[in-house]
Amino acid sequence: MTFRAEHLLGIEPLHPAEITALLDLADTYAEQNRSGRKHTDVLAGLTQINMFFEASTRTQASFELAGQRLGADVMSMAMQASSIRKGETLIDTALTLNAMHPDLLVVRHPSSGAVDLLAQKVNCAVLNAGDGRHEHPTQALLDALTIRREKGRLHRLSIAICGDIAHSRVARSNILLLGKMENRVRLIGPPTLMPAGVAEFGVEVFDDMEEGLKDVDVVMMLRLQKERMDGGFIPSEREYYHRFGLDAEKLGAAKPDAIVMHPGPMNRGVEIDGTLADDINRSVIQEQVEMGVAVRMAAMDLLARNLRAKRGAEMVADAGA
Ligand code: NCD
């Protein structure tokens, strides 16, 4: 089975075989990115527009690089400075952009569901680069690729996702993806940072790191999303670090070869010990960033194929009409 989606709005609608197809292609791009010949022309003639309504460092940079390596014309809108500030609605912005005939639109937005809404209003492929607390599909895919390369498989692993689950789109997309691929997912964090209805996810929930980390293969740490909190979620950062911050001692409960992940940006000394984050024997944080470019190349390549096929079919239909 091939990748059939028209947009990449979330992990939820994806079939496990589509996830595998995307990761397989991303693996080839990872090799290409390490070689001297980083460029191809699979997106030549296509226009990619990045719209980030929320701050981003690695996600925006890697989408730009991914598009350039595939030969697209890439433009990033400075949304902070755009007419959004002047009160233009999301839909007006979308229609304006649509008039520029983009082929790939990469969108990050603070509201859950905003990217889906936009996808209904434009006629190009849309990639969700994070919408509110909802989804961040390319992050989950790059995490999955990193795990698969490190562990040699992406099924029957025990994976702990730790910290601020409630505010995290990264956690949500990862729970969905890892569940679809038949892994055992554990969530660890204070009850105040667990989302309502967490039981429906088919995960195990812990509020103690040592218990939750016991014998896991993968430890995925999350940033405390302070910008999404209105106070009262944690007693203090010091107390939080003491109970939930990952350090070598707490990691001792996991399997001896367990890997440590973090999507970035990190709060060193709040959710993770800085020395552990830099320990190349345990931490795969830099590999996650590297796989981010490869996964985004694969996602845009696959969506562009579907877009070309769809437009081709429309032209045939128009000619016949
Ligand atoms: C994440 C995000 O923006 O959702 N960062 C990222 O994309 N690498 C996680 C975060 O902000 O904590």
Side-chain angles (χ1 to χ4, degrees):
M1 193 185 110
T2 48
F3 190 87
R4 291 178 307 192
E6 201 175 317
H7 306 291
L8 183 59
L9 301 175
I11 297 298
E12 197 154 23
L14 294 182
H15 190 276
E18 290 180 295
I19 294 171
T20 302
L22 194 151
L23 297 183
D24 290 347
L25 182 60
D27 249 332
T28 70
Y29 281 126
E31 296 321 309
Q32 182 182 307
N33 287 338
R34 283 183 184 182
S35 78
R37 292 173 55 88
K38 297 192 185 65
H39 283 88
T40 58
D41 59 1
V42 298
L43 297 186
L46 298 184
T47 301
Q48 173 192 339
I49 299 183
N50 301 326
M51 291 166 70
F52 281 68
F53 296 92
E54 216 183 58
S56 169
T57 317
R58 62 218 90 213
T59 305
Q60 183 167 351
S62 74
F63 265 114
E64 280 178 24
L65 211 50
Q68 284 165 6
R69 291 206 176 144
L70 296 178
D73 294 323
V74 185
M75 186 195 71
S76 290
M77 303 267 296
M79 296 319 293
Q80 262 82 357
S82 81
S83 11
I84 296 294
R85 278 277 167 95
K86 299 178 187 159
E88 187 174 86
T89 67
L90 178 65
I91 300 306
D92 281 333
T93 309
L95 295 177
T96 305
L97 281 174
N98 209 30
M100 297 180 195
H101 301 292
D103 303 290
L104 296 152
L105 204 53
V106 180
V107 187
R108 169 171 285 193
H109 199 281
S111 305
S112 305
V115 184
D116 290 49
L117 185 68
L118 226 148
Q120 293 164 27
K121 304 287 174 190
V122 294
N123 40 36
C124 64
V126 177
L127 293 99
N128 181 2
D131 65 323
R133 304 175 187 187
H134 179 229
E135 282 231 41
H136 191 353
T138 55
Q139 179 70 45
L141 288 160
L142 75 87
D143 289 338
L145 183 61
T146 306
I147 295 170
R148 197 174 79 166
R149 290 168 68 102
E150 286 288 329
K151 294 286 155 199
R153 65 178 199 275
L154 188 61
H155 58 272
R156 281 189 292 105
L157 291 167
S158 184
I159 297 162
I161 306 179
C162 315
D164 185 359
I165 316 279
H167 299 102
S168 177
R169 55 196 175 209
V170 174
R172 206 165 172 282
S173 290
N174 264 301
I175 292 166
L176 291 167
L177 189 154
L178 295 168
K180 278 179 198 275
M181 306 312 276
E182 295 181 11
N183 296 283
R184 287 177 46 194
V185 178
R186 299 166 163 210
L187 306 182
I188 315 175
T192 48
L193 295 179
M194 282 296 158
V198 76
E200 290 162 32
F201 289 133
V203 294
E204 284 180 275
V205 180
F206 297 84
D207 67 356
D208 179 272
M209 287 288 271
E210 207 178 316
E211 253 178 70
L213 290 180
K214 194 166 178 341
D215 296 331
V216 299
D217 300 287
V218 177
V219 185
M220 194 180 282
M221 300 309 296
L222 297 172
R223 183 175 66 87
L224 268 188
Q225 310 253 311
K226 290 181 238 176
E227 73 278 19
R228 298 191 210 284
M229 297 182 190
D230 39 21
F233 285 92
I234 57 163
S236 71
E237 286 186 359
R238 222 182 116 109
E239 171 72 11
Y240 182 82
Y241 182 66
H242 177 67
R243 290 205 52 204
F244 298 101
L246 187 70
D247 57 14
E249 195 189 325
K250 293 195 190 86
L251 183 62
K255 287 207 181 128
D257 62 350
I259 54 168
V260 174
M261 308 179 76
H262 194 303
M266 275 185 278
N267 295 305
R268 289 170 186 261
V270 179
E271 66 256 353
I272 189 164
D273 169 55
T275 313
L276 180 58
D278 297 333
D279 179 355
I280 53 163
N281 295 313
R282 302 310 294 270
S283 162
V284 296
I285 295 171
Q286 297 307 323
E287 188 179 351
Q288 287 175 271
V289 178
E290 182 187 358
M291 292 310 127
V293 180
V295 152
R296 288 165 181 132
M297 289 169 82
M300 291 197 290
D301 178 350
L302 291 171
L303 290 176
R305 293 182 204 184
N306 293 350
L307 182 74
R308 285 184 164 125
K310 185 181 153 206
R311 287 184 179 164
E314 281 168 3
M315 274 174 69
V316 172
D318 285 351

